[in-house]
Amino acid sequence: MKKLFVSVLGLLIFLPTFSIVHAETDELGYEFTTKKASEIDFQDGDFFVVLLSGEPTDPNALYAIYETSEIEKYEQDYGLDDNEITTFAALPTKFSQYYSSSKWITRSGKVSLSLQPKKPAYQEPPGMAGAHLQKYRWEVVKNKHSKDSKWKNTASMKAQLNCHADYPKKFKTPWNIEPWRTETNYHKVVLKGCNP
């Protein structure tokens, strides 16, 4: 009986600290979770964020968080792969469709990856279309530059890129994402002008 009591007590202590994440579904039936900007940390995994409501600078702005697996499911459902894209979901998948140029530069003695974005890089369609654009906006940069010795702190670079696309968009170019920076909390990145 004492052993059972200790087990139940341990479970009661553990349960309040364990939070259950409830998935929602978008208009196409794909799952996402909702988080406030201040709760998004790109160090937590491979996901893509779509603004649902609020301003990017607001810590309570709500984002839909799509896991990569849901985006891949969408691509399979609609026949998207590296060789063929259906007309239904003809979204850009190549570097040249998102950026007109990219190069490593030095600013104030520190390395930066300078990107000149095109419109698809900062478009904001809702739901899965937005998550799909984000996936490729990020992957084309990562695939092109991540093997370079200058590439570091991937999660921070992803947060910086998302910030540039979410907030200054076309009004502040080029976008400079800096591998020496380490901040991965999305709200903190946005508050510091995308380069915390």
Side-chain angles (χ1 to χ4, degrees):
M1 186 69 166
K2 184 177 179 182
K3 202 177 212 184
L4 178 62
F5 176 75
V6 170
S7 297
V8 170
L9 181 62
L11 185 61
L12 290 174
I13 291 170
F14 174 74
L15 280 178
T17 63
F18 180 75
S19 65
I20 298 172
V21 177
H22 296 285
E24 298 178 47
T25 54
D26 65 14
E27 65 282 353
L28 296 175
Y30 296 98
E31 290 187 356
F32 66 92
T33 55
T34 304
K35 284 190 178 181
K36 293 178 183 178
S38 59
E39 299 170 335
I40 299 170
D41 194 319
F42 283 95
Q43 194 67 42
D44 292 341
D46 191 19
F47 55 83
F48 298 89
V49 300
V50 177
L51 184 65
L52 292 174
S53 65
E55 293 295 319
T57 54
D58 181 356
N60 295 314
L62 288 178
Y63 284 82
I65 311 298
Y66 285 91
E67 298 292 331
T68 300
S69 60
E70 282 297 293
I71 299 171
E72 289 168 353
K73 182 179 168 192
Y74 165 77
E75 292 171 350
Q76 289 172 357
D77 289 348
Y78 292 103
L80 279 75
D81 62 32
D82 290 338
N83 302 315
E84 178 183 335
I85 299 181
T86 66
T87 54
F88 173 81
L91 296 173
T93 59
K94 296 178 175 42
F95 185 90
S96 62
Q97 293 172 302
Y98 287 95
Y99 306 98
S100 57
S101 65
S102 66
K103 62 183 176 182
W104 292 102
I105 63 169
T106 302
R107 296 190 325 158
S108 303
K110 300 205 177 191
V111 172
S112 178
L113 179 57
S114 186
L115 301 164
Q116 191 63 48
K118 292 182 176 180
K119 188 175 183 178
Y122 51 80
Q123 281 181 308
E124 293 183 346
M128 181 54 77
H132 185 259
L133 275 173
Q134 283 188 34
K135 176 186 176 204
Y136 283 96
R137 173 183 73 210
W138 167 246
E139 284 188 354
V140 297
V141 171
K142 186 178 174 190
N143 292 342
K144 183 172 183 170
H145 293 286
S146 65
K147 290 182 176 70
D148 192 291
S149 63
K150 296 175 184 87
W151 185 277
K152 294 176 180 49
N153 298 311
T154 299
S156 178
M157 291 179 74
K158 185 176 180 182
Q160 292 174 58
L161 181 64
N162 270 335
C163 177
H164 281 93
D166 248 2
Y167 193 54
K169 302 179 187 189
K170 65 181 178 181
F171 302 107
K172 179 184 170 268
T173 60
W175 295 348
N176 291 301
I177 58 174
E178 301 171 336
W180 54 273
R181 296 188 185 271
T182 58
E183 184 59 62
T184 58
N185 177 277
Y186 193 51
H187 181 61
K188 290 179 183 176
V189 169
V190 170
L191 283 183
K192 293 294 184 177
C194 302
N195 298 119

